[in-house]
Amino acid sequence: MGTAFIILLVLGFFILMSSFFTVKQQSSVIIERFGKFHSVRNSGLQLKIPVVDRLAGRVNLKIQQLDVIIETKTKDNVFIKMKVSVQFKVIQEKVYDAFYKLEYPHDQITAYVFDVVRAEVPKLKLDDVFERKDDIAIAVKRELNEAMTTYGYDIINTLVTDIDPDIQVKNAMNRINAADREKTAAEFEAESSRIRIVAKAKAEAESKRLQGQGIADQRREIARGLVESVEVLNNVGINSQEASALIVVTQHYDTLQAIGADANSNLILLPNSPQAGSDMLNNMVASFTASNQVGEMMKKNNKKVVKPKPIQPQSGYEDDILPESGQ
């Protein structure tokens, strides 16, 4: 009698303990009584009738994410793979619908995502798919909300997280982009070269203008120096011809000195004999004298005036003319 009582007492204790159960935060538990839905229990310590009631299942109330990878084609016949992330949760007031109406909610959501994406993407070209991926995500969310709310699911957000065209298409796009950038770089380089050429031409023009001005100033000063040199030589009794010849000979010897100072010069000045200077001086004086004489003769010839002879009347001409007789 004592042993049986102890067994019943221990059995009753286990039955009593099995009547209590706990539900975690952000989750719900479905209680069935004799196989039929009885109630939904939320977080905390809960009580059920042993043997009569049972835990049919637990429903997660947290936000969940489902990643769906879809292969489809665009309007310009480019096949792409898209990754759509769907964030959803079970509506707490519709735990019964979420648990009993859908056995595989992930498959249901995946089917709707496939249907919407394959209806929207073929309307767009590849470039438009990248630009309007948010519109695709909004269309997916709209369709899912309309369909899944009936089953107790709330679609929080849908995101198009990846668009992956075929590898050959990506290579072609990269080549197009690289060619476009090379074209832009070539245009900038051409413009830069043009600016450099124009600037160089302006600089050369300004340099030549300044060089010309410098040469003109140099020649002006040389002429002024020659005039002064001739005046000085005239003052000591040397005429202009001899002075000019002397200046030319002096410049000749200066040139020889400048050539001799350059060790790497290959210039040969002809004639280059010792008496070349004196011969040059004599020839120049003679030529200046001859030119002066020619000039004087031309002036004398121009001063001569040729007087015209008077016209004489022919002999007997006056006799042929008879005076008028009065009639």
Side-chain angles (χ1 to χ4, degrees):
M1 184 67 180
T3 304
F5 179 75
I6 293 173
I7 293 173
L8 290 175
L9 184 62
V10 171
L11 183 61
F13 176 77
F14 279 106
I15 293 175
L16 180 63
M17 292 300 297
S18 63
S19 300
F20 295 95
F21 65 95
T22 58
V23 181
K24 294 181 179 181
Q25 186 68 32
Q26 288 298 103
S27 62
S28 297
V29 173
I30 302 297
I31 301 298
E32 292 181 352
R33 179 168 293 176
F34 297 114
K36 182 180 179 180
F37 171 76
H38 178 263
S39 62
V40 177
R41 307 292 177 86
N42 296 319
S43 59
L45 181 63
Q46 301 292 336
L47 178 65
K48 66 180 181 67
I49 301 175
V51 181
V52 177
D53 297 336
R54 76 177 185 91
L55 276 65
R58 296 179 181 270
V59 178
N60 186 4
L61 300 179
K62 296 179 182 180
I63 296 177
Q64 305 175 60
Q65 178 168 309
L66 175 64
D67 294 330
V68 182
I69 298 176
I70 311 155
E71 185 175 5
T72 182
K73 78 177 186 67
T74 61
K75 187 176 181 180
D76 46 356
N77 296 322
V78 177
F79 283 88
I80 59 174
K81 288 183 179 180
M82 298 183 63
K83 182 179 180 181
V84 181
S85 298
V86 181
Q87 298 173 351
F88 64 95
K89 70 174 183 177
V90 176
I91 302 173
Q92 190 169 1
E93 293 77 13
K94 295 184 177 181
V95 173
Y96 174 85
D97 295 333
F99 186 79
Y100 286 102
K101 288 186 177 182
L102 281 180
E103 185 172 4
Y104 301 107
H106 287 186
D107 294 343
Q108 188 81 3
I109 293 173
T110 300
Y112 276 104
V113 172
F114 267 80
D115 181 66
V116 175
V117 170
R118 287 182 172 174
E120 293 292 330
V121 172
K123 300 177 183 178
L124 306 173
K125 293 184 178 180
L126 180 61
D127 293 339
D128 296 334
V129 172
F130 284 93
E131 295 176 1
R132 300 178 59 183
K133 67 182 186 65
D134 292 338
D135 296 339
I136 299 173
I138 291 173
V140 172
K141 180 180 179 181
R142 182 175 59 250
E143 292 292 331
L144 283 176
N145 265 329
E146 293 177 0
M148 300 302 294
T149 302
T150 306
Y151 304 112
Y153 287 88
D154 180 26
I155 306 301
I156 305 299
N157 202 1
T158 56
L159 303 171
V160 178
T161 57
D162 188 21
I163 301 174
D164 187 18
D166 186 78
I167 184 64
Q168 296 180 354
V169 176
K170 288 194 289 186
N171 292 336
M173 293 175 66
N174 291 332
R175 289 196 301 270
I176 293 173
N177 189 21
D180 185 59
R181 293 183 181 275
E182 289 177 357
K183 177 183 176 182
T184 304
E187 291 176 354
F188 278 106
E189 289 178 358
E191 181 66 17
S192 176
S193 299
R194 186 188 69 82
I195 293 173
R196 286 196 297 268
I197 292 172
V198 171
K200 183 179 180 181
K202 290 181 178 180
E204 290 179 353
E206 182 66 16
S207 175
K208 291 180 179 179
R209 186 185 69 82
L210 295 175
Q211 288 177 2
Q213 182 178 356
I215 292 172
D217 293 340
Q218 180 185 7
R219 290 176 178 176
R220 190 180 300 110
E221 293 299 325
I222 291 173
R224 185 179 293 112
L226 292 175
V227 171
E228 293 177 357
S229 299
V230 171
E231 291 178 355
V232 171
L233 293 175
N234 288 336
N235 292 333
V236 297
I238 301 176
N239 58 27
S240 299
Q241 292 82 2
E242 294 175 348
S244 300
L246 181 59
I247 292 172
V248 172
V249 172
T250 303
Q251 291 180 347
H252 172 75
Y253 282 110
D254 290 340
T255 304
L256 291 177
Q257 183 180 3
I259 295 173
D262 189 0
N264 297 323
S265 177
N266 296 324
L267 179 63
I268 298 176
L269 187 63
L270 298 176
N272 196 23
S273 60
Q275 66 273 14
S278 61
D279 293 341
M280 185 184 298
L281 178 60
N282 295 330
N283 292 334
M284 293 183 68
V285 171
S287 63
F288 283 143
T289 303
S291 64
N292 287 336
Q293 292 177 358
V294 172
E296 293 295 331
M297 292 177 64
M298 292 179 64
K299 289 180 181 179
K300 290 179 180 181
N301 292 333
N302 291 331
K303 289 181 180 180
K304 292 181 180 180
V305 178
V306 179
K307 295 181 179 180
K309 295 180 180 180
I311 300 175
Q312 298 294 332
Q314 298 179 1
S315 61
Y317 180 75
E318 290 85 355
D319 296 339
D320 295 336
I321 300 174
L322 298 176
E324 295 181 357
S325 59
Q327 294 180 0

